[in-house]
Amino acid sequence: MDRGIMDSKRRDLNQGMAERILSLDWSKTPVGERSSWPQSLISTIKMLLGSRYPMILLWGEELIQIYNDAYTALIGDKHPYALGKSIKETQAESWAVIGPMITEVMTTGISNWVPEQLLAVNRTGFNEETYFSLSYSAVENDENKISGMLCVCSEITHQVVAERRLRIQRDLSAAASNANSIEQVFEDIMAVAGNYTTDLPFTILYMLENEQWVCRGMTGVPADEYASAPWQMEKAMHGQTIITDNVAQFMTVRGGLWNELVQKSVTIPIPSAIPSRPLGMLVAGVNPNAVLDENYLSFYALLSGQISVAVRNAFAYDEERKRTAYLAEIDRAKTAFFNNISHEFRTPLTLILGPLHDILIHQANSSSKHTIDQVSIAYSNAVRLLKLVNTLLDFSRIEAHRMQASYTPVDLSQFTTELASSFESAIKKENLFFHIDCTQLSDVIYVDTQMWEKIVFNILSNALKFTFTGGISVSLQETAENAVLIISDTGVGIPAEELPHIFDRFHRVTSSRSRTHEGTGIGLALTKELVTIHGGDITAVSQPDVGTTFTIRIPKGTAHLDAKSIREFIDKEGTDFLQESYTNEISSWQRMDDKAITTTDADGDLILVVDDNSQMANYIQKMLSRHWKVITASNGREALSLIYQEAPALVVSDVMMPDMNGFELLNAIKSDVEISNIPVILLSARAGKEATIEGLEKGANDYIIKPFYADELIARVSTQLQLRKAELANTHLRERAESQRLFQKELERMVRDRTADLTKINAELEQFAFAASHDLQEPLRKILLYSQMLANEISSDQQKAGRYLEKIMTSSARMRNLINDLLNFSRLSIKEVAFTSTDLNTILENLLVDLELQINRSQAKITYTDLPVIEAVPLQMQQLFFNLLSNALKFSDTRRTPAITVQASIATSADVALLSVPDPSAEYVKIVITDNGIGFDQKYADQIFTMFQKLHHRTAYAGTGIGLALCKKVVINHHGIIHAMSVEGEGSKFTIILPSRQSTPNGGTGVSDGADL
């Protein structure tokens, strides 16, 4: 037995329980000494301990427990006491459930399995609601008699409880989504909470209203106890979840599956859009049979979030309902206003139109042409204003359901032909074709003739407004039930995304090209309403750059009409005036097209007037032409072309225009440096301080609201011209002053740079003088000394004389190297060098030949990848590589074979960022030279690049201390950077970043000697 259990223990599985089973005195238990255990018991224990799945073996009549490590987590504080004890004792709280199942298996030997068994388990000091999947199997002794039972179990509490809590959230979401008021939301939330008292023994919902906590619902709480409870809501205001542990002291609430006292509650904020100010607080009781763990707290947080969404949605719904009612009231008031104001407009318009018409009819011959022209403009615009007033009046009547129709039998073919023919001259004037094909219908059609006129005129005027090539077709056909009017054009068409909205009130397709930008945006909406009044329908089919087709269907007969509105005679009152209003409007577009660009011969500055309304453009032109030269354009795009051609001194532009409006023209002018100094005066019908501020903020020099007086416009134009002349003069003076300032600044910079160069050179010379005086004297002293000694000894001791000669040659070589390095360093200070295309592979290969003796002597292994071709000074590149490779060979570690690698790659953005002033347009290469030599302390990484710097005693390694300073100088001259990394005893790595192409002119490096590395 001991050996079997210990073998199991050595597998590192369930090691803890194996030791406990071995150490327990089983003689004091009904199972008896281990030595007396049957082999079947030992085998079962071995199998149990070898499993990672929770298992428990019950043995003997007393059902003594033997279990594995995985099972210990299921019984909590009862371990290790439960080992060797009867399960009847340790699981007394759940024995009523599991006892019968165990007895049945022990008695019958039939295995048992329960997938989801609720058990009360007291493993942390209270009866916990738990769920297990249990599998019971009988275990026989060596005599094949049932002596025990093996239970394989797994806890599924988390899954079962999670599913239940998910149902709560689902029900809460479903209930809240159907609520139509905030009060209903609160009721639904409490109803759902009341259905799930296991997880929510009690619930209280507080809302923060007018800085007061107001209870909006509760479940499971004694009405006289909840108010005095210390829920700590002010503390929870900051987003914390507050746990109250002593609920039973001030409130008696029972809950859970076994109706036990609730001891804990949570207070959690209901979040709002402002984190520091929640919508309210949710106070919820904690299931007395559950652990208040992270999952439980997350459930409360999700619940609070769902309540927040439901409450905010309810508030939003309530606000939207109030807003809808408010808008409906505004709409009714607006309709009434339009109706009233339209009536009020008609009286003064009658008094305007009457006298003007009399002058044109009766005094045309006796008045001057200028007077008649002015009266004609006033009359045509008054007619247009009356048309707009009538349109608003019609629309307001329709909105108020007070539009009265008078249906009369009409020969619709003849009537439609007459109406369409009134547009023929205007359409052909635009070089467009115009086809009218109104087939004679089989019977008369009942229509309101004035409404039918407006339907036909609106569609035809729209077609002409948006058609520039091709033409317009009008056809009238019939089916068994309807008369069908089809009006097609080959105009600019309507974008697909705009087509569903063209019959909406005030909707305008602003991106389409048109003859004018003027219009109310209610023409097609009114047309649809008028067609609907006739019991018909109107549809539109369109394709951009192909054209648009409107189809209107009017039912035959009178069955669809109100019998009280049917008349048997035709009333054509108002037809001539309506036709005149449309033709007047069309003629204003056409006169602008006929003379899109006009000029005057007056002296002075050139003024550009931009307006799509020809009458307004002509009026302003005549007004200004008495003082300045004037040209005109009909839209912003045409005006912009004229600005580049004619260079006007000032632009006067309308805001609302087709193709390119006034604001777009203004932006185009102010965005181009060449023309940005041209002042722009905007004209707009948008009144109010906000409109003026908007215009000025967008860059306009002045903003004039229509209507305006002539002398006001002339005065503002004159002021802007004078300001422009003064600004031009000031600009010229500023340019001269700026030019002088820049010249002086550049001169000062050159002096500073030259001074810095000289200062640097002087400092280097001082350092050079000090070092050279020392280093040059030392080899000279040795040369003199050993020369004298050689003279004395040459006759007596040939061997000693040979040693003296060797020392003289060594000192001479050292002096030669020092002088060469100093000469090379001094040459690097000369900036007039020529960069050429340099193949670094060739440089390196030549150097390896030169260093062959040193390489062979040290048995060094040098490897390198393909190196790039860059713009450089070849001699300086040779010095750079020579010094770095010589250093690597010189400072090799005698304990290992020297290994040197040279690698090249494209520099990354992180590499280039190390440069003081990188060239954003240049491509940089990275060269890395690595060795496995003696290395150095990283703290000297910057110091090694200074003149005459040595990290070792000069007797240890030969050298001048100039080599790495020379390398740094070479790299700076090539607009690059060099840095070193090293670990003592492991080796060094030198990294060089260089541009592959030099951006400076021939002969200049463009980098000062003092560049910061």
Side-chain angles (χ1 to χ4, degrees), residues 248-307:
Q249 294 181 11
F250 50 82
M251 191 168 68
T252 302
V253 178
R254 292 187 175 275
L257 294 176
W258 299 291
N259 199 31
E260 297 181 1
L261 277 176
V262 175
Q263 302 290 342
K264 295 182 180 181
S265 71
V266 295
T267 303
I268 186 167
I270 300 171
S272 70
I274 305 173
S276 61
R277 187 177 177 81
L279 292 174
M281 290 290 165
L282 173 66
V283 179
V286 177
N287 182 357
N289 304 120
V291 178
L292 185 57
D293 56 9
E294 185 177 350
N295 292 327
Y296 207 163
L297 291 173
S298 296
F299 162 70
Y300 285 129
L302 290 172
L303 202 63
S304 171
Q306 278 192 288
I307 293 173

Side-chain angles (χ1 to χ4, degrees), residues 134 769 834 893:
L134 302 174
D893 193 327

Side-chain angles (χ1 to χ4, degrees), residues 981-993:
M981 294 183 66
S982 182
V983 177
E984 282 189 292
E986 295 185 12
S988 304
K989 180 171 74 173
F990 288 84
T991 302
I992 306 159
I993 311 296

Side-chain angles (χ1 to χ4, degrees), residues 895-915:
R895 296 172 298 177
R896 51 180 173 262
T897 301
I900 304 170
T901 61
V902 182
Q903 296 176 308
S905 62
I906 300 298
T908 65
S909 58
D911 296 327
V912 176
L914 297 173
L915 293 162

